[in-house]
Amino acid sequence: YKRQAQTIHNALFSRVCNSILNPRNVENGGRNVKPVIARIDEIKKALDGIDAIQVVAEGFDAYSAGKVDVPDPGELLFEDPPGQAHIKYGAIKGDDYYVVKIASGFPGNSDLGLSRIQGVMLVYNQKTGEPEAFLLDNGYLTTVRPAAAGALCAKHQAPGTLERIGMFGCGVQGQVQREVREGRGAGGGG
């Protein structure tokens, strides 16, 4: 499952990166100013033009066809204060980019007025190895991925037309699940 999830992340991050880089290159007279540092607002805006459900489907297809290189993730565990960091990386063969994702979770951050989850995606050019973008999403894209995968599952597995759906999730995950399924927000394509 972890390898499938990272493959889908790579597909999603690649589309977000293209959506962010292309307009910036035009603004700079065709010059590619690298690496781009994109924060959450710019990432969310880029998602508006991306059908996350379709991208997730393409990621599953690439994984199923053996067109991915996704090594085992790395993990660091901390005791004082308690926390953890995960390093995940991979590539879809023939894609424009490969991605290294570093995510950390420190539960005590809430007491400090900081987000419990921090993260950055380092997006590199798959043909030259150059860093293209650093996506500072604070875990948002990691929330969009399972939401889009859930909507894809409902689309292909649910019987007939759905009038209602029950969702089990808390906080942002439940909200993003609903938005993506309804085709609005979070790159739902609408």
Side-chain angles (χ1 to χ4, degrees):
Y1 170 75
K2 288 180 182 177
R3 291 176 192 259
Q4 288 176 336
Q6 189 57 35
T7 299
I8 294 163
H9 267 105
N10 287 340
L12 192 58
F13 300 155
S14 183
R15 294 287 175 80
V16 168
C17 193
N18 273 331
S19 185
I20 290 170
L21 288 175
N22 290 339
R24 285 194 182 191
N25 291 344
V26 170
E27 289 171 12
N28 291 304
R31 285 190 341 253
N32 193 353
V33 179
K34 301 186 248 183
V36 167
I37 297 175
R39 300 189 185 281
I40 189 68
D41 291 341
E42 190 172 9
I43 292 167
K44 286 183 176 181
K45 183 178 177 188
L47 274 171
D48 285 342
I50 296 169
D51 183 345
I53 298 168
Q54 180 60 37
V55 172
V56 165
E58 291 167 10
F60 277 127
D61 289 345
Y63 181 82
S64 297
K67 295 180 179 179
V68 302
D69 185 7
V70 185
D72 290 334
E75 179 179 60
L76 298 169
L77 301 174
F78 303 100
E79 293 179 15
D80 189 21
Q84 56 188 318
H86 298 268
I87 303 137
K88 300 175 183 178
Y89 37 92
I92 297 174
K93 296 172 185 171
D95 200 4
D96 293 332
Y97 307 105
Y98 67 92
V99 179
V100 178
K101 173 185 169 185
I102 304 171
S104 63
F106 283 77
N109 279 2
S110 299
D111 298 335
L112 303 172
L114 301 170
S115 174
R116 286 184 326 100
I117 299 171
Q118 302 289 335
V120 62
M121 269 53 77
L122 310 173
V123 183
Y124 293 86
N125 185 302
Q126 201 173 121
K127 292 168 184 55
T128 66
E130 290 180 284
E132 296 281 349
F134 300 155
L135 306 178
L136 304 174
D137 78 322
N138 290 337
Y140 186 73
L141 291 170
T142 301
T143 302
V144 171
R145 174 192 44 85
L152 182 65
C153 238
K155 176 181 175 182
H156 291 286
Q157 299 297 319
T161 303
L162 290 177
E163 293 180 24
R164 284 188 208 151
I165 187 167
M167 282 186 251
F168 297 91
C170 59
V172 174
Q173 183 55 240
Q175 177 184 343
V176 174
Q177 287 270 348
R178 186 184 75 245
E179 289 173 356
V180 169
R181 185 173 184 303
E182 292 173 355
R184 59 184 181 79

